[in-house]
Coordinates of all heavy atoms in Angstrom, one line a residue:
M1 N 43.7 86.6 175.0 CA 43.8 85.1 174.7 C 42.7 84.7 173.9 O 41.5 84.9 174.1 CB 43.8 84.4 176.1 CG 44.0 82.9 175.9 SD 44.1 82.1 177.5 CE 42.4 81.6 177.7
K2 N 43.1 83.8 172.9 CA 42.1 83.3 171.9 C 41.8 81.9 172.4 O 42.7 81.1 172.6 CB 42.6 83.3 170.5 CG 41.4 83.2 169.5 CD 42.0 83.5 168.1 CE 40.9 83.3 167.1 NZ 40.3 82.0 167.1
L3 N 40.5 81.5 172.5 CA 40.1 80.2 172.9 C 40.0 79.3 171.7 O 39.4 79.5 170.8 CB 38.7 80.3 173.6 CG 38.8 81.1 174.9 CD1 37.3 81.2 175.5 CD2 39.6 80.4 175.9
S4 N 40.7 78.2 171.9 CA 40.6 77.2 170.8 C 39.5 76.1 171.1 O 38.9 76.2 172.2 CB 42.0 76.4 170.7 OG 42.0 75.6 171.9
G5 N 39.2 75.3 170.2 CA 38.2 74.3 170.3 C 38.5 73.5 171.6 O 37.6 73.2 172.4
R6 N 39.7 73.2 171.8 CA 40.1 72.3 173.0 C 39.7 73.1 174.3 O 39.2 72.5 175.2 CB 41.6 72.2 172.9 CG 42.1 70.8 172.5 CD 42.4 70.0 173.6 NE 43.6 69.2 173.9 CZ 44.8 69.5 173.7 NH1 45.2 70.5 172.9 NH2 45.7 68.7 174.1
D7 N 40.0 74.4 174.3 CA 39.7 75.1 175.5 C 38.2 75.0 175.8 O 37.7 74.9 176.9 CB 40.0 76.6 175.4 CG 41.5 76.7 175.3 OD1 42.2 75.9 175.9 OD2 42.0 77.6 174.6
W8 N 37.4 75.2 174.8 CA 35.9 75.1 174.9 C 35.4 73.8 175.5 O 34.6 73.8 176.4 CB 35.2 75.5 173.6 CG 35.2 77.0 173.3 CD1 35.8 77.6 172.3 CD2 34.5 78.0 174.1 NE1 35.6 78.9 172.4 CE2 34.8 79.2 173.6 CE3 33.7 77.9 175.3 CZ2 34.4 80.4 174.1 CZ3 33.2 79.1 175.8 CH2 33.6 80.3 175.2
V9 N 36.0 72.8 175.0 CA 35.6 71.4 175.5 C 36.0 71.4 177.1 O 35.0 71.0 177.9 CB 36.4 70.3 174.8 CG1 36.3 69.0 175.6 CG2 36.0 70.2 173.4
G10 N 37.0 71.9 177.5 CA 37.4 72.0 178.9 C 36.4 72.8 179.7 O 35.9 72.4 180.7
I11 N 36.1 74.0 179.1 CA 35.2 74.9 179.8 C 33.8 74.3 180.1 O 33.3 74.4 181.1 CB 35.1 76.3 179.1 CG1 36.4 77.0 179.2 CG2 34.0 77.1 179.6 CD1 36.6 78.2 178.2
I12 N 33.3 73.7 178.9 CA 32.0 73.1 179.0 C 32.0 71.9 179.9 O 31.1 71.7 180.7 CB 31.5 72.7 177.5 CG1 31.3 73.9 176.8 CG2 30.3 71.8 177.6 CD1 31.0 73.7 175.3
G13 N 33.2 71.2 179.9 CA 33.3 70.1 180.8 C 33.1 70.5 182.3 O 32.4 69.9 183.1
V14 N 33.9 71.5 182.6 CA 33.8 72.0 184.0 C 32.4 72.6 184.4 O 31.9 72.3 185.4 CB 34.9 73.2 184.2 CG1 34.7 73.9 185.5 CG2 36.3 72.6 184.1
A15 N 31.8 73.2 183.4 CA 30.5 73.8 183.6 C 29.5 72.7 184.0 O 28.7 72.8 184.9 CB 30.0 74.6 182.5
L16 N 29.6 71.6 183.2 CA 28.7 70.5 183.4 C 28.9 69.9 184.7 O 28.0 69.5 185.5 CB 28.9 69.4 182.3 CG 28.2 69.6 181.0 CD1 28.6 68.5 180.0 CD2 26.7 69.5 181.2
L17 N 30.2 69.7 185.1 CA 30.5 69.1 186.4 C 29.9 69.9 187.5 O 29.3 69.4 188.5 CB 32.1 69.1 186.5 CG 32.6 68.1 187.6 CD1 32.3 66.7 187.2 CD2 34.1 68.4 187.7
I18 N 30.1 71.3 187.4 CA 29.5 72.1 188.5 C 28.1 72.0 188.5 O 27.5 72.0 189.6 CB 30.0 73.6 188.2 CG1 31.6 73.8 188.4 CG2 29.2 74.6 189.2 CD1 32.0 75.1 188.1
G19 N 27.4 72.0 187.4 CA 26.0 71.8 187.3 C 25.5 70.6 188.0 O 24.6 70.5 188.8
L20 N 26.2 69.5 187.7 CA 25.8 68.2 188.4 C 26.0 68.2 189.8 O 25.2 67.7 190.6 CB 26.7 67.0 187.8 CG 26.3 66.6 186.3 CD1 27.3 65.6 185.7 CD2 24.8 66.1 186.3
L21 N 27.1 68.8 190.3 CA 27.3 68.9 191.7 C 26.3 69.6 192.4 O 25.8 69.3 193.5 CB 28.7 69.5 192.0 CG 30.0 68.6 191.7 CD1 31.2 69.4 191.9 CD2 29.9 67.5 192.7
G22 N 25.9 70.7 191.7 CA 24.8 71.6 192.2 C 23.5 70.7 192.4 O 22.9 70.8 193.5
L23 N 23.2 69.9 191.4 CA 22.0 69.1 191.5 C 22.2 68.1 192.6 O 21.2 68.0 193.4 CB 21.8 68.3 190.2 CG 21.2 69.0 189.0 CD1 21.1 68.0 187.8 CD2 19.8 69.5 189.4
G24 N 23.3 67.5 192.8 CA 23.4 66.6 193.9 C 23.2 67.2 195.2 O 22.6 66.7 196.1
V25 N 23.8 68.4 195.4 CA 23.6 69.1 196.7 C 22.2 69.4 196.9 O 21.6 69.3 198.0 CB 24.5 70.4 196.7 CG1 24.1 71.2 197.9 CG2 25.9 69.9 196.8
G26 N 21.5 69.8 195.8 CA 20.1 70.2 195.9 C 19.2 69.1 196.4 O 18.1 69.3 197.0
K27 N 19.5 67.9 195.9 CA 18.7 66.7 196.3 C 18.7 66.5 197.8 O 19.7 66.8 198.4 CB 19.3 65.5 195.6 CG 18.2 64.7 194.8 CD 18.7 63.7 193.8 CE 19.4 62.5 194.6 NZ 20.0 61.6 193.7
G28 N 17.6 66.1 198.3 CA 17.5 65.7 199.7 C 17.3 66.9 200.6 O 17.3 66.8 201.8
R29 N 17.1 68.0 200.0 CA 16.7 69.2 200.7 C 15.2 69.4 200.6 O 14.6 69.1 199.6 CB 17.4 70.4 200.2 CG 18.9 70.4 200.5 CD 19.6 71.5 199.9 NE 19.1 72.8 200.4 CZ 19.7 73.5 201.3 NH1 20.9 73.1 201.8 NH2 19.3 74.6 201.8
G30 N 14.6 69.9 201.7 CA 13.1 70.1 201.7 C 12.8 71.3 201.0 O 13.6 72.0 200.4
K31 N 11.5 71.6 201.0 CA 11.0 72.8 200.5 C 11.4 74.0 201.3 O 11.8 73.9 202.5 CB 9.5 72.8 200.5 CG 9.0 71.8 199.5 CD 7.4 71.9 199.5 CE 6.8 71.0 198.5 NZ 5.3 70.9 198.7
T32 N 11.3 75.2 200.7 CA 11.7 76.4 201.4 C 10.6 76.6 202.3 O 9.4 76.3 202.2 CB 11.6 77.6 200.4 OG1 12.6 77.3 199.3 CG2 12.1 78.9 201.0
I33 N 10.9 77.2 203.5 CA 10.0 77.5 204.5 C 9.1 78.6 204.1 O 9.6 79.7 203.7 CB 10.6 77.9 205.8 CG1 11.6 76.8 206.3 CG2 9.6 78.2 206.9 CD1 12.6 77.2 207.3
P34 N 7.8 78.5 204.0 CA 6.9 79.5 203.4 C 7.0 80.8 204.4 O 7.2 80.7 205.6 CB 5.4 79.0 203.5 CG 5.6 77.7 204.3 CD 7.0 77.3 204.3
L35 N 6.9 81.9 203.8 CA 6.9 83.1 204.6 C 5.5 83.5 204.8 O 5.0 84.5 204.1 CB 7.7 84.2 203.8 CG 7.9 85.6 204.4 CD1 8.4 85.4 205.9 CD2 8.9 86.5 203.8
D36 N 4.8 82.9 205.7 CA 3.4 83.2 205.9 C 3.2 83.5 207.4 O 4.2 83.5 208.2 CB 2.5 82.0 205.5 CG 2.9 80.7 206.1 OD1 3.7 80.7 207.1 OD2 2.4 79.7 205.6
D37 N 2.0 83.7 207.9 CA 1.8 84.1 209.2 C 2.3 83.0 210.3 O 2.9 83.4 211.2 CB 0.2 84.3 209.5 CG -0.1 85.7 209.0 OD1 0.7 86.6 208.8 OD2 -1.3 85.9 208.8
R38 N 2.2 81.8 209.8 CA 2.6 80.7 210.8 C 4.1 80.7 210.9 O 4.6 80.3 212.0 CB 2.1 79.4 210.3 CG 0.7 79.2 210.3 CD 0.4 77.8 210.1 NE -1.1 77.5 210.3 CZ -2.0 77.7 209.3 NH1 -1.6 78.1 208.1 NH2 -3.3 77.5 209.6
H39 N 4.7 81.1 209.9 CA 6.2 81.0 210.0 C 6.9 82.3 210.3 O 8.1 82.4 210.4 CB 6.8 80.3 208.6 CG 6.3 79.0 208.6 ND1 5.2 78.7 207.8 CD2 6.8 77.8 209.0 CE1 5.0 77.3 207.9 NE2 5.9 76.8 208.6
R40 N 6.1 83.4 210.3 CA 6.7 84.7 210.5 C 7.5 84.7 211.9 O 8.6 85.3 211.9 CB 5.6 85.8 210.6 CG 6.2 87.1 209.9 CD 5.1 88.1 209.8 NE 4.0 87.5 208.9 CZ 3.9 87.5 207.6 NH1 5.0 87.9 206.9 NH2 2.9 87.1 206.9
S41 N 7.0 84.1 212.9 CA 7.7 84.2 214.2 C 9.1 83.5 214.1 O 10.0 83.9 214.7 CB 6.9 83.5 215.3 OG 6.7 82.1 215.0
S42 N 9.2 82.4 213.3 CA 10.5 81.8 213.1 C 11.5 82.7 212.5 O 12.6 82.8 212.9 CB 10.3 80.5 212.4 OG 9.4 79.7 212.9
Y43 N 11.0 83.4 211.4 CA 11.8 84.2 210.6 C 12.3 85.4 211.6 O 13.4 85.8 211.6 CB 11.1 84.9 209.5 CG 11.0 84.0 208.2 CD1 10.1 83.0 208.1 CD2 11.9 84.3 207.2 CE1 10.1 82.3 207.0 CE2 11.9 83.4 206.0 CZ 11.0 82.5 205.9 OH 11.0 81.7 204.9
Q44 N 11.4 85.9 212.3 CA 11.6 86.9 213.2 C 12.6 86.6 214.3 O 13.6 87.4 214.5 CB 10.2 87.3 214.0 CG 10.3 88.7 214.7 CD 10.6 89.8 213.6 OE1 10.1 89.7 212.6 NE2 11.4 90.8 214.1
A45 N 12.5 85.4 214.8 CA 13.5 84.9 215.8 C 14.9 84.9 215.2 O 15.9 85.3 215.8 CB 13.1 83.6 216.4
L46 N 15.0 84.4 214.0 CA 16.3 84.3 213.4 C 16.9 85.6 213.1 O 18.1 85.9 213.4 CB 16.2 83.6 212.1 CG 16.3 82.1 212.1 CD1 16.2 81.5 210.7 CD2 17.6 81.7 212.7
K47 N 16.0 86.6 212.7 CA 16.4 87.9 212.5 C 17.0 88.6 213.7 O 18.0 89.3 213.6 CB 15.2 88.8 211.8 CG 15.7 89.4 210.6 CD 14.7 90.1 209.7 CE 14.0 91.3 209.8 NZ 12.6 91.1 209.2
E48 N 16.3 88.2 214.8 CA 16.8 88.8 216.1 C 18.0 88.2 216.6 O 18.5 88.5 217.7 CB 15.7 88.8 217.1 CG 14.5 89.7 216.9 CD 13.3 89.4 217.6 OE1 13.3 88.4 218.5 OE2 12.3 90.0 217.5
G49 N 18.5 87.2 215.8 CA 19.8 86.7 216.2 C 19.8 85.4 217.1 O 20.8 85.0 217.6
R50 N 18.5 84.9 217.3 CA 18.5 83.6 218.0 C 19.2 82.6 217.2 O 19.2 82.6 215.9 CB 17.0 83.2 218.2 CG 16.1 84.3 218.6 CD 16.6 84.9 220.0 NE 16.7 83.9 221.1 CZ 15.7 83.9 222.0 NH1 14.8 84.7 222.0 NH2 15.9 83.1 222.9
D51 N 19.8 81.6 217.9 CA 20.5 80.6 217.1 C 19.6 79.6 216.6 O 18.4 79.5 216.9 CB 21.7 80.0 218.0 CG 21.1 79.4 219.2 OD1 19.9 79.1 219.3 OD2 21.8 79.3 220.3
R52 N 20.1 78.8 215.7 CA 19.3 77.8 215.0 C 18.6 76.8 215.9 O 17.4 76.5 215.8 CB 20.2 77.0 214.0 CG 20.5 77.8 212.8 CD 21.4 77.0 211.9 NE 21.4 77.6 210.5 CZ 21.6 76.8 209.4 NH1 21.8 75.6 209.5 NH2 21.6 77.4 208.3
A53 N 19.3 76.4 216.8 CA 18.8 75.4 217.8 C 17.5 75.9 218.4 O 16.5 75.2 218.5 CB 19.8 75.0 218.8
H54 N 17.5 77.2 218.8 CA 16.4 77.8 219.4 C 15.3 77.8 218.3 O 14.1 77.5 218.7 CB 16.7 79.2 219.8 CG 15.6 80.0 220.4 ND1 15.1 79.9 221.7 CD2 14.6 80.7 219.8 CE1 14.1 80.6 221.9 NE2 13.7 81.1 220.7
V55 N 15.5 78.2 217.2 CA 14.4 78.4 216.1 C 13.9 77.0 215.8 O 12.7 76.9 215.6 CB 15.0 79.1 214.9 CG1 14.0 79.1 213.8 CG2 15.5 80.5 215.2
E56 N 14.7 75.9 215.8 CA 14.3 74.7 215.5 C 13.3 74.1 216.5 O 12.4 73.4 216.3 CB 15.4 73.8 215.2 CG 16.0 74.0 213.9 CD 17.5 73.7 213.6 OE1 18.0 73.2 214.6 OE2 18.0 73.9 212.6
L57 N 13.4 74.6 217.7 CA 12.5 74.3 218.8 C 11.2 74.9 218.5 O 10.2 74.3 218.7 CB 13.0 74.7 220.2 CG 14.0 73.9 220.9 CD1 14.4 74.4 222.3 CD2 13.4 72.4 221.1
I58 N 11.2 76.0 217.9 CA 9.9 76.6 217.5 C 9.2 75.8 216.4 O 8.1 75.5 216.5 CB 10.1 78.1 217.0 CG1 10.9 78.9 218.0 CG2 8.8 78.8 216.6 CD1 11.2 80.4 217.6
C59 N 10.0 75.4 215.5 CA 9.4 74.6 214.4 C 8.6 73.4 215.0 O 7.6 73.0 214.6 CB 10.5 73.9 213.5 SG 11.8 75.1 212.9
T60 N 9.3 72.8 215.9 CA 8.7 71.5 216.5 C 7.5 71.7 217.4 O 6.7 70.8 217.7 CB 9.8 70.7 217.3 OG1 10.4 71.5 218.2 CG2 10.9 70.1 216.4
T61 N 7.3 72.9 217.8 CA 6.0 73.2 218.5 C 4.8 73.0 217.6 O 3.8 72.6 218.1 CB 6.0 74.6 219.1 OG1 6.1 75.6 218.0 CG2 7.0 74.9 220.1
C62 N 5.1 73.2 216.2 CA 3.9 72.9 215.3 C 4.1 71.6 214.5 O 3.2 70.8 214.3 CB 3.7 74.0 214.4 SG 3.3 75.6 215.1
H63 N 5.3 71.4 214.2 CA 5.6 70.2 213.3 C 6.0 69.1 214.2 O 7.2 68.9 214.5 CB 6.8 70.5 212.3 CG 6.4 71.5 211.3 ND1 5.5 71.2 210.2 CD2 6.6 72.9 211.2 CE1 5.4 72.3 209.5 NE2 6.0 73.3 210.1
N64 N 5.0 68.4 214.8 CA 5.3 67.2 215.6 C 4.3 66.2 215.3 O 3.4 66.3 214.4 CB 5.2 67.7 217.1 CG 4.0 68.4 217.4 OD1 2.9 68.0 217.0 ND2 4.1 69.5 218.2
Q65 N 4.3 65.0 216.1 CA 3.5 63.9 215.8 C 2.0 64.3 215.7 O 1.3 63.8 214.9 CB 3.7 62.9 216.8 CG 5.1 62.4 216.9 CD 5.6 61.8 215.5 OE1 4.8 61.4 214.7 NE2 6.9 62.0 215.3
S66 N 1.6 65.3 216.5 CA 0.2 65.4 216.7 C -0.5 66.5 215.8 O -1.4 66.2 215.2 CB -0.2 65.8 218.2 OG 0.8 66.7 218.7
S67 N 0.2 67.6 215.5 CA -0.5 68.6 214.8 C -0.1 68.7 213.3 O -1.0 68.6 212.4 CB -0.3 69.9 215.5 OG 1.0 70.3 215.7
Q68 N 1.2 68.9 213.0 CA 1.6 69.0 211.6 C 2.7 68.0 211.3 O 3.8 68.3 211.1 CB 2.1 70.4 211.3 CG 1.2 71.5 211.4 CD 0.2 71.5 210.3 OE1 0.5 71.1 209.1 NE2 -1.0 71.8 210.6
P69 N 2.2 66.7 211.3 CA 3.3 65.6 211.2 C 4.0 65.8 209.9 O 3.5 66.2 208.9 CB 2.4 64.3 211.2 CG 1.0 64.7 210.9 CD 0.9 66.2 211.3
L70 N 5.3 65.4 210.0 CA 6.1 65.4 208.9 C 5.8 64.2 208.0 O 5.3 63.2 208.4 CB 7.7 65.4 209.2 CG 8.0 66.5 210.2 CD1 9.5 66.3 210.6 CD2 7.9 67.9 209.6
P71 N 6.1 64.2 206.7 CA 5.9 63.1 205.8 C 6.5 61.8 206.4 O 7.6 62.0 207.0 CB 6.5 63.5 204.5 CG 6.7 64.9 204.6 CD 6.8 65.3 206.0
K72 N 5.9 60.7 206.1 CA 6.4 59.4 206.7 C 7.9 59.2 206.3 O 8.7 58.7 207.0 CB 5.6 58.3 206.2 CG 4.4 58.0 207.1 CD 4.1 56.6 207.1 CE 2.9 56.3 207.9 NZ 1.7 57.0 207.3
N73 N 8.3 59.6 205.0 CA 9.6 59.3 204.5 C 10.5 60.5 204.8 O 11.4 60.7 204.1 CB 9.6 59.0 203.0 CG 8.9 60.1 202.2 OD1 8.3 61.0 202.8 ND2 9.1 60.1 200.9
H74 N 10.2 61.3 205.8 CA 11.0 62.4 206.1 C 12.4 62.0 206.6 O 12.5 61.1 207.4 CB 10.3 63.3 207.1 CG 10.9 64.7 207.2 ND1 12.1 64.9 208.0 CD2 10.7 65.9 206.6 CE1 12.5 66.2 207.9 NE2 11.5 66.7 207.0
P75 N 13.4 62.6 206.1 CA 14.7 62.2 206.6 C 15.0 62.6 208.0 O 14.1 63.3 208.6 CB 15.7 63.0 205.7 CG 15.0 64.1 205.0 CD 13.5 63.6 205.1
P76 N 16.0 62.1 208.7 CA 16.3 62.5 210.1 C 16.1 64.0 210.3 O 16.6 64.7 209.5 CB 17.7 62.0 210.2 CG 18.1 61.0 209.3 CD 17.1 61.4 208.1
K77 N 15.5 64.3 211.3 CA 14.9 65.7 211.2 C 15.5 66.7 212.3 O 14.9 67.6 212.5 CB 13.4 65.6 211.4 CG 13.0 65.0 212.6 CD 11.5 65.1 212.8 CE 10.9 64.3 213.9 NZ 11.7 64.2 215.0
E78 N 16.6 66.4 212.9 CA 17.2 67.4 213.6 C 17.6 68.6 212.7 O 18.0 68.3 211.6 CB 18.3 66.9 214.5 CG 17.9 66.1 215.7 CD 17.3 64.8 215.2 OE1 17.8 64.2 214.2 OE2 16.3 64.3 215.8
Q79 N 17.7 69.8 213.1 CA 18.3 70.9 212.3 C 17.6 71.1 211.1 O 18.1 71.0 210.0 CB 19.8 70.6 212.0 CG 20.5 70.4 213.3 CD 22.0 70.4 213.1 OE1 22.6 69.8 212.2 NE2 22.7 71.2 213.9
C80 N 16.3 71.4 211.2 CA 15.4 71.7 210.1 C 16.1 72.6 209.1 O 15.9 72.5 207.9 CB 14.1 72.5 210.5 SG 13.5 71.9 212.1
L81 N 16.8 73.6 209.6 CA 17.2 74.8 208.8 C 18.4 74.4 207.9 O 18.6 75.1 206.9 CB 17.6 75.9 209.7 CG 16.5 76.5 210.6 CD1 17.0 77.5 211.5 CD2 15.4 77.0 209.6
V82 N 18.9 73.2 208.1 CA 20.0 72.7 207.2 C 19.4 72.4 205.9 O 20.0 72.7 204.8 CB 20.7 71.6 207.8 CG1 21.7 71.0 206.7 CG2 21.5 71.9 209.0
C83 N 18.2 71.9 205.9 CA 17.6 71.4 204.6 C 16.4 72.3 204.1 O 16.2 72.4 203.0 CB 17.0 70.0 204.8 SG 18.2 68.8 205.3
H84 N 15.8 73.0 205.0 CA 14.7 73.9 204.6 C 15.2 75.4 204.7 O 15.4 75.9 205.8 CB 13.5 73.7 205.5 CG 12.9 72.4 205.4 ND1 12.1 72.0 204.4 CD2 13.0 71.2 206.3 CE1 11.7 70.7 204.6 NE2 12.2 70.3 205.7
D85 N 15.3 75.9 203.5 CA 15.9 77.2 203.4 C 14.8 78.3 203.8 O 13.6 78.0 203.7 CB 16.3 77.6 202.0 CG 17.7 77.1 201.7 OD1 18.4 77.0 202.7 OD2 18.0 76.9 200.6
L86 N 15.2 79.4 204.3 CA 14.3 80.6 204.4 C 14.2 81.2 203.1 O 15.0 81.2 202.3 CB 14.9 81.5 205.5 CG 15.1 80.9 206.9 CD1 16.1 81.9 207.7 CD2 13.9 80.7 207.6
V87 N 13.0 81.8 203.0 CA 12.9 82.7 201.9 C 13.8 83.9 202.0 O 13.9 84.5 203.1 CB 11.4 83.2 201.7 CG1 11.3 84.2 200.6 CG2 10.5 82.1 201.5
R88 N 14.6 84.2 201.1 CA 15.5 85.3 201.2 C 14.8 86.6 200.9 O 14.1 86.7 199.9 CB 16.7 85.1 200.2 CG 17.4 83.8 200.2 CD 18.5 83.9 201.2 NE 18.9 82.5 201.4 CZ 19.3 81.9 202.6 NH1 19.2 82.7 203.7 NH2 19.7 80.7 202.7
S89 N 14.9 87.5 201.8 CA 14.2 88.7 201.6 C 15.1 89.9 201.6 O 16.3 89.7 201.8 CB 13.1 88.9 202.6 OG 13.6 88.7 203.9
Ligands
HEC1 C1 2.9 78.2 214.3 C2 3.0 76.8 213.8 C3 4.2 76.6 212.9 C4 5.5 76.9 213.1 C5 6.1 77.5 214.4 C6 6.3 76.3 212.0 N1 5.5 75.8 211.1 FE1 5.9 75.0 209.2 N2 3.9 74.8 208.7 C7 2.9 75.0 209.6 C8 1.7 74.8 208.9 C9 0.3 74.8 209.5 C10 2.0 74.4 207.6 C11 1.1 74.1 206.4 C12 0.4 75.2 205.9 C13 1.3 76.4 205.6 O1 2.1 76.3 204.6 O2 1.3 77.3 206.3 C14 3.5 74.5 207.5 C15 4.2 74.2 206.4 C16 5.7 74.0 206.4 C17 6.4 73.5 205.3 C18 5.9 73.0 203.9 C19 5.7 74.2 203.0 C20 5.1 73.6 201.7 O3 5.5 74.3 200.7 O4 4.5 72.6 201.7 C21 7.8 73.5 205.7 C22 9.0 73.1 204.8 C23 7.8 74.0 207.0 N3 6.4 74.3 207.4 C24 8.9 74.1 207.8 C25 9.0 74.7 209.0 C26 10.1 75.0 209.7 C27 11.6 74.6 209.2 C28 9.9 75.7 210.9 C29 10.8 76.3 211.8 C30 11.7 77.4 211.3 C31 8.4 75.8 210.9 N4 7.9 75.2 209.8 C32 7.7 76.4 211.9 C33 3.0 75.5 210.9 C34 4.1 76.0 211.6
HEC2 C1 18.1 66.0 206.2 C2 17.3 67.1 205.6 C3 16.0 67.6 206.3 C4 16.0 68.0 207.6 C5 17.1 68.1 208.7 C6 14.6 68.4 207.8 N1 13.9 68.2 206.6 FE1 11.9 68.5 206.3 N2 12.0 67.7 204.5 C7 13.3 67.3 203.9 C8 12.8 66.6 202.6 C9 13.8 66.0 201.6 C10 11.4 66.7 202.5 C11 10.5 66.1 201.4 C12 10.2 64.7 201.8 C13 9.2 64.0 201.0 O1 9.2 64.1 199.7 O2 8.3 63.4 201.6 C14 11.0 67.4 203.7 C15 9.6 67.6 203.9 C16 9.1 68.4 205.0 C17 7.8 68.9 205.2 C18 6.6 68.6 204.3 C19 6.6 69.6 203.3 C20 6.3 69.1 201.9 O3 5.2 68.9 201.5 O4 7.4 68.8 201.3 C21 7.8 69.6 206.4 C22 6.6 70.3 207.0 C23 9.1 69.5 206.9 N3 10.0 68.8 206.1 C24 9.5 70.2 208.1 C25 10.7 70.0 208.7 C26 10.9 70.4 210.1 C27 10.0 71.1 211.0 C28 12.2 70.0 210.4 C29 12.9 70.1 211.7 C30 12.3 69.5 212.8 C31 12.8 69.3 209.2 N4 11.8 69.4 208.2 C32 14.0 68.9 209.0 C33 14.4 67.4 204.4 C34 14.7 67.7 205.7

């Protein structure tokens, strides 16, 4: 099949749309969880098949009002893992 100018307009239009949607989804997500000593236990727990709810309890043992407070403008913070990705290894 030979692509005409019209086809290209359509293809580029769709590509732009997908790109914009991707940006929209990316917004409002936090940083990736660092893969360092402090966070290794969380990674480990997930790898061992613990469910998210359990792992998120681990997060809050450090990230709470007293020790590692979240930024003031932090969005509603149940389910850390929805917004903070793990480093893919
Ligand atoms: C043992 C304590 C501890 C646990 C458990 C922990 N964190 Fe952290 N976290 C820290 C500390 C301290 C920092 C800041 C220094 C650093 O990056 O290690 C931090 C930093 C972060 C950052 C910011 C990274 C950056 O680039 O600024 C994110 C996001 C984060 N943690 C998310 C999580 C999530 C989600 C969990 C649960 C899966 C979690 N943390 C569990 C102690 C912890
Ligand atoms: C609704 C999405 C969402 C959820 C759920 C969420 N976060 Fe965040 N988090 C963000 C966003 C967005 C930021 C950046 C906020 C800002 O710019 O101040 C952030 C920032 C952070 C930071 C500061 C790192 C930095 O410098 O950007 C830490 C630490 C953190 N979150 C930990 C957690 C923990 C722990 C949980 C679970 C208890 C959690 N987050 C749940 C979206 C989320």
Side-chain angles (χ1 to χ4, degrees):
M1 179 176 94
K2 197 168 178 307
L3 294 173
S4 72
R6 257 263 233 34
D7 293 329
W8 281 112
V9 171
I11 290 169
I12 291 170
V14 169
L16 276 178
L17 198 67
I18 292 172
L20 284 178
L21 284 176
L23 276 181
V25 169
K27 233 169 67 183
R29 290 175 63 100
K31 289 186 180 167
T32 308
I33 304 164
L35 182 50
D36 56 15
D37 280 342
R38 290 194 176 86
H39 295 92
R40 215 171 303 280
S41 63
S42 309
Y43 277 83
Q44 195 61 37
L46 272 180
K47 228 169 71 223
E48 283 164 6
R50 309 307 294 262
D51 54 25
R52 286 179 159 208
H54 175 91
V55 174
E56 281 152 5
L57 276 181
I58 305 181
C59 312
T60 52
T61 59
C62 296
H63 294 281
N64 52 42
Q65 299 307 326
S66 41
S67 53
Q68 293 290 324
L70 304 178
K72 272 215 187 59
N73 57 347
H74 192 279
K77 60 176 171 32
E78 286 70 39
Q79 306 193 311
C80 323
L81 300 172
V82 173
C83 301
H84 295 282
D85 277 334
L86 300 167
V87 175
R88 309 269 169 224
S89 47

